Amino acid sequence: MARKLALALFVFLAALLYQQIQPPAPKICGSPGGPPVTGTRTKLKDGRHLAYLESGVPKEKAKYKIIYVHGFDSCRYDALPISPELAQELGIYLLSFDRPGYAESDPNPARTEKSIALDIEELADNLQLGPKFHLIGFSMGGEVMWSCLKHIPHRLYGVAVLGPVGNYWWPGLPSNVSREAWYQQLPRDQWAVWVSHHLPWLTYWWNTQSFFPGSSVIAYNPALLSEEDAMLMDKFGMRPYMAQIRQQGEHECLHKDMMVGFGKWDWSPMELQDPFAGGKGKVHLWHGTEDLIVPVTLSRYISERLPWVVYHELPKSGHLFPIADGMADAIVKSLLLGDDQ
C-alpha cells in the first residue's frame, strides 16, 4: 500500500512539474481571443504572416533598399532612425518587420537560426525588392546577420552588423575568448544563457519563476546600462508601443530568441567566406566598447578572424549606440558610400 501511495505521489508531482515548465499557448494576432491585427502584413508560403513597416522614399524610386532586423524585446517600430533628410538625399527605402513571435508577426514553431534568413528572403520577394538588397541588424538581429551571410549571401549588396549577440558555444570559438566574454555577464545572466543552451525546454520556467532571478535583460536591470546607455534609455525604455512587443506571449519572442541565439549551431561565423570578394559590397561590424549587455569580446575576435569585415569599435558607447544622435546616419553612410565619405 505504501509503495502505491509513493508511486501515486511521484506521478502527481511529476505531472505538476511538467505543467509548471510548459509555456502557455501563444495568443496569435487575429485569432479568437488574440490581439488585433493593426499593421500591414504579408503571408509566407507556410501560412505565417510577417508584419512590416516601410519608410524613406517609395521603393519604386529608391536607389538603395535596406531591410532592418530589430533586436531583443523590440519590433518593427524600432527601425534604425535614419534621418528623413538622408533618406531623401541618398534615395533610401527602409523596410523593418516584426521577427516571428514579436508584436504582430506569427510565431514560427520550427524556428531555427536558418529560418529567419529564409523569412527575410521571402519577405523581400513578397514586397518585390529585387534580386539584392542591403541588410542592417541590431543586437539579436545582429546575430541574424551572420545567418543571412551564411544562407542567403547571393541576395545581399552589403551588411551592417550592430552590437551583435554572440553564441558562447559557436564551433571553433577558443575557450579563452568564450570564457572572457562569459564572465563579463552578470551571474544571473550566465545562468539564464546556460539554461537556454543546455536545457532549452526549461527556458520559460527559468525566466518566469520567482525562486531566483532570471534574465536581467528581460527584467531591464539598470546594472546593465553603460553611462551612455543610461542617457539613451529615455528613448528606448519609454516606447509607446512596448505593450505590443510581447503581446503574443514572452515565450514566443524573448525565450525563443534565447533558445535559438544561444542554442546549438552546427557552424560558426568564423567559417564564413567573404560574400563580396572582388565586388563593391562590404560587411561592417559595429560594437560599443562599454557594452554591458553584449560583451564586445566576441565581436573583436570575429573581426580578427575575418579580415574582410570592416570593424568599427566605439570607445565611449554601450549597447544602444544606434539610437544615439547622428549614429544611424553615420552607419548608413558607411554601409552605402564607404568610410571615406
Side-chain angles (χ1 to χ4, degrees):
M1 186 66 175
R3 291 181 62 185
K4 290 183 178 179
L5 287 174
L7 179 60
L9 180 61
F10 174 78
V11 171
F12 171 76
L13 292 176
L16 185 63
L17 175 62
Y18 178 79
Q19 185 179 29
Q20 290 292 319
I21 66 176
Q22 293 303 303
K27 300 175 182 178
I28 306 296
C29 288
S31 67
V37 175
T38 63
T40 307
R41 306 202 303 176
T42 186
K43 190 173 183 178
L44 304 181
K45 293 175 183 176
D46 64 5
R48 290 182 294 116
H49 296 84
L50 292 182
Y52 64 89
L53 181 69
E54 299 171 291
S55 59
V57 304
K59 61 187 172 188
E60 297 79 14
K61 299 180 179 180
K63 181 177 180 180
Y64 301 105
K65 297 170 185 176
I66 301 174
I67 298 179
Y68 180 78
V69 185
H70 69 75
F72 192 74
D73 205 9
S74 301
C75 69
R76 65 190 185 278
Y77 295 120
D78 293 303
L80 192 69
I82 302 170
S83 69
E85 295 78 13
L86 185 67
Q88 290 295 325
E89 177 188 345
L90 298 185
I92 298 170
Y93 163 86
L94 181 65
L95 173 66
S96 59
F97 69 101
D98 296 334
R99 291 194 286 111
Y102 278 100
E104 295 187 24
S105 285
D106 294 336
N108 183 357
R111 185 171 165 186
T112 65
E113 58 79 21
K114 182 177 181 179
S115 67
I116 183 61
L118 301 183
D119 283 354
I120 290 170
E121 181 176 36
E122 192 171 349
L123 174 66
D125 290 339
N126 284 6
L127 271 64
Q128 300 180 332
L129 298 194
K132 291 190 176 185
F133 45 85
H134 287 83
L135 272 181
I136 301 176
F138 169 56
S139 191
M140 194 64 81
E143 187 183 51
V144 170
M145 297 299 96
W146 303 126
S147 293
C148 291
L149 287 164
K150 168 74 172 178
H151 301 296
I152 58 167
H154 57 289
R155 301 300 304 271
L156 308 177
Y157 276 129
V159 178
V161 190
L162 314 180
V165 168
N167 189 316
Y168 302 94
W169 296 272
W170 272 329
L173 188 63
S175 59
N176 63 312
V177 175
S178 179
R179 190 181 306 112
E180 179 185 346
W182 179 262
Y183 285 107
Q184 291 174 34
Q185 302 178 99
L186 295 178
R188 61 188 286 184
D189 291 320
Q190 294 172 16
W191 278 106
V193 170
W194 187 93
V195 167
S196 65
H197 178 81
H198 293 286
L199 303 171
W201 48 271
L202 203 58
T203 303
Y204 165 76
W205 178 83
W206 187 271
N207 289 288
T208 55
Q209 49 71 41
S210 57
F211 298 107
F212 36 78
S215 167
S216 60
V217 180
I218 293 177
Y220 280 74
N221 187 341
L224 292 175
L225 299 178
S226 69
E227 183 177 344
E228 182 183 88
D229 285 346
M231 293 187 292
L232 293 170
M233 271 306 287
D234 283 344
K235 285 185 179 181
F236 188 77
M238 303 300 292
R239 296 166 288 170
Y241 47 84
M242 286 185 71
Q244 296 181 33
I245 294 173
R246 307 183 188 184
Q247 66 183 351
Q248 297 187 82
E250 291 188 10
H251 184 67
E252 291 300 332
C253 51
L254 308 183
H255 304 156
K256 285 285 185 72
D257 255 4
M258 296 175 69
M259 293 161 64
V260 173
F262 300 117
K264 294 177 172 63
W265 294 34
D266 59 8
W267 63 276
S268 164
M270 280 73 75
E271 302 168 4
L272 292 172
Q273 301 296 317
D274 184 0
F276 310 117
K280 296 182 179 179
K282 294 290 184 181
V283 176
H284 292 260
L285 172 57
W286 298 72
H287 215 121
T289 304
E290 302 300 319
D291 193 335
L292 303 179
I293 298 174
V294 178
V296 69
T297 304
L298 299 187
S299 286
R300 283 177 180 165
Y301 182 75
I302 290 172
S303 71
E304 293 169 1
R305 284 288 302 272
L306 304 179
W308 44 270
V309 168
V310 182
Y311 184 52
H312 311 256
E313 186 166 320
L314 307 173
K316 296 182 180 180
S317 295
H319 191 62
L320 300 178
F321 69 85
I323 63 173
D325 291 344
M327 275 306 304
D329 284 6
I331 290 166
V332 169
K333 285 182 179 179
S334 177
L335 175 63
L336 301 182
L337 306 177
D339 291 320
D340 296 331
Q341 300 297 320

